[in-house]
């Protein structure tokens, strides 16, 4: 079966530094897959290569079997590859209604003009409402994003990515900075993502990784160190030495 997302011999060098070292990786369709590794392992570089933010020094990126290695980020989004960021990229002055509406309209080719004909664009409003309900944002749709609790902002960013109707969704540390009291809603929203969306989670929070992932890949020094089920990876003494053990210090 064709993978949802795949890399073959992916490399990235910055001068004499190898940040991504010949990574061959496969994200299956419908996957719940986590990518973990110590600080400096190259996780962000790898995600930037997948999404087109960085051009590789070598290797190939395939989305559902199609070569997207040289496509720009916006073209990858149109083909069904979406992401969130470690630090949210939201517009603080907009409301969630406007932000989700913009994402839906961009997907449909309307861009910033969606709101001008809001009264005649019921399909867009219906989709905004459905996305907001899925991510628990219905009660704050009219509030400025800058005033929202940080957990709600993280949920909104996932909602915006989801509104692009991706077939592959990359979640880059969605729990980063979220207070403990708000984490349950975020974990529930991630767990409830539909199976037709293949998900790669990049995360330091091992509780989230172990509760969400069915398969885990470990990146160390830019190279794929090991991969397996949650049980295999969590009990691997080499992984505990290079990653889990580090978190205990």
């Amino acid at each position: 079966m064709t993978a949802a997302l795949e890399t073959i011999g992916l490399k990235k060098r910055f001068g004499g530094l190898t940040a991504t070292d010949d990574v061959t990786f496969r994200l299956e369709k419908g996957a719940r897959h986590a990518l973990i590794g110590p600080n400096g392992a190259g996780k962000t570089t790898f995600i930037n290569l997948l999404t087109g933010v960085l051009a590789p020094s070598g290797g190939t990126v395939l989305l559902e079997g199609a070569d997207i290695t040289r496509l720009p980020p916006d073209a990858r989004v149109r083909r069904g590859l979406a992401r969130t960021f470690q630090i949210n990229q939201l517009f603080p002055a907009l409301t969630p209604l406007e932000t989700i509406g913009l994402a839906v309209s961009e997907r449909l080719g309307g861009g910033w003009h969606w709101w001008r004909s809001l009264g005649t664009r019921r399909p867009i409003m219906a989709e905004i409402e459905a996305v907001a309900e899925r991510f628990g944002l219905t009660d704050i749709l009219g509030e400025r994003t800058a005033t929202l609790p940080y957990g709600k902002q993280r949920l909104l960013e996932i909602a915006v990515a989801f509104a692009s109707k991706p077939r592959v969704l990359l979640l880059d540390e969605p729990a980063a900075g979220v207070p403990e009291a708000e984490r349950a809603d975020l974990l529930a929203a991630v767990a409830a993502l539909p199976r037709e969306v293949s998900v790669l989670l990049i995360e330091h929070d091992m509780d989230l990784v172990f509760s969400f992932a069915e398969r885990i890949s470990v990146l160390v020094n830019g190279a794929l160190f090991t991969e397996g089920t949650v049980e295999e990876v969590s009990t691997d003494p080499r992984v505990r030495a290079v990653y889990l053990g580090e978190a205990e210090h």
Side-chain angles (χ1 to χ4, degrees):
M1 182 183 294
T2 303
L5 184 66
E6 187 174 8
T7 68
I8 302 171
L10 198 62
K11 302 179 180 71
K12 182 61 181 180
R13 299 185 186 91
F14 297 97
L17 172 65
T18 298
T20 304
D21 190 2
D22 196 26
V23 174
T24 294
F25 169 82
R26 183 179 176 94
L27 180 72
E28 301 291 351
K29 289 187 177 178
R32 298 294 182 260
H33 200 129
L35 179 69
I36 67 172
N39 290 331
K43 300 185 298 294
T44 297
T45 299
F46 183 63
I47 294 304
N48 285 338
L49 292 171
L50 293 178
T51 55
V53 174
L54 291 174
S57 305
T60 306
V61 181
L62 302 172
L63 179 63
E64 297 181 324
D67 189 342
I68 62 168
T69 310
R70 301 299 168 186
L71 289 183
D74 59 324
R76 299 186 195 209
V77 173
R78 288 194 295 271
R79 288 192 178 216
L81 175 62
R83 72 173 292 183
T84 63
F85 294 81
Q86 289 182 30
I87 300 172
N88 77 54
Q89 306 289 301
L90 300 170
F91 297 104
L94 297 185
T95 66
L97 187 150
E98 293 165 334
T99 304
I100 299 170
L102 177 59
V104 173
S105 187
E106 283 285 349
R107 193 190 78 236
L108 299 175
W112 282 97
H113 303 294
W114 74 274
W115 53 269
R116 292 184 179 175
S117 54
L118 182 58
T120 61
R121 303 295 296 275
R122 285 306 306 167
I124 289 183
M125 278 304 303
E127 189 168 341
I128 294 170
E129 291 163 1
V131 170
E133 183 175 0
R134 169 179 284 277
F135 291 96
L137 301 170
T138 303
D139 59 339
I140 48 90
L141 272 176
E143 300 181 21
R144 287 180 62 248
T145 296
T147 68
L148 300 179
Y150 193 64
K152 290 291 187 182
Q153 293 185 30
R154 298 301 278 182
L155 282 168
L156 177 57
E157 189 174 18
I158 300 173
V160 169
F162 184 80
S164 71
K165 291 200 172 176
R167 293 185 299 283
V168 175
L169 177 59
L170 311 180
L171 299 176
D172 194 354
E173 298 197 28
V178 177
E180 190 66 33
E182 300 175 47
R183 292 165 64 81
D185 289 342
L186 189 143
L187 267 62
V190 170
L193 289 168
R195 275 286 173 173
E196 57 263 30
V197 181
S198 308
V199 182
L200 177 61
L201 172 73
I202 302 88
E203 185 56 72
H204 278 292
D205 184 325
M206 300 312 295
D207 289 337
L208 176 53
V209 168
F210 291 151
S211 68
F212 173 79
E214 295 165 353
R215 195 163 185 83
I216 299 176
S217 297
V218 183
L219 204 64
V220 177
N221 295 327
L224 196 59
F225 183 70
T226 191
E227 184 176 291
T229 65
V230 172
E231 182 177 2
E232 289 168 343
V233 171
S234 64
T235 58
D236 187 329
R238 301 172 304 152
V239 175
R240 299 186 72 84
V242 301
Y243 184 78
L244 299 180
E246 176 187 282
E248 297 171 359
H249 295 291

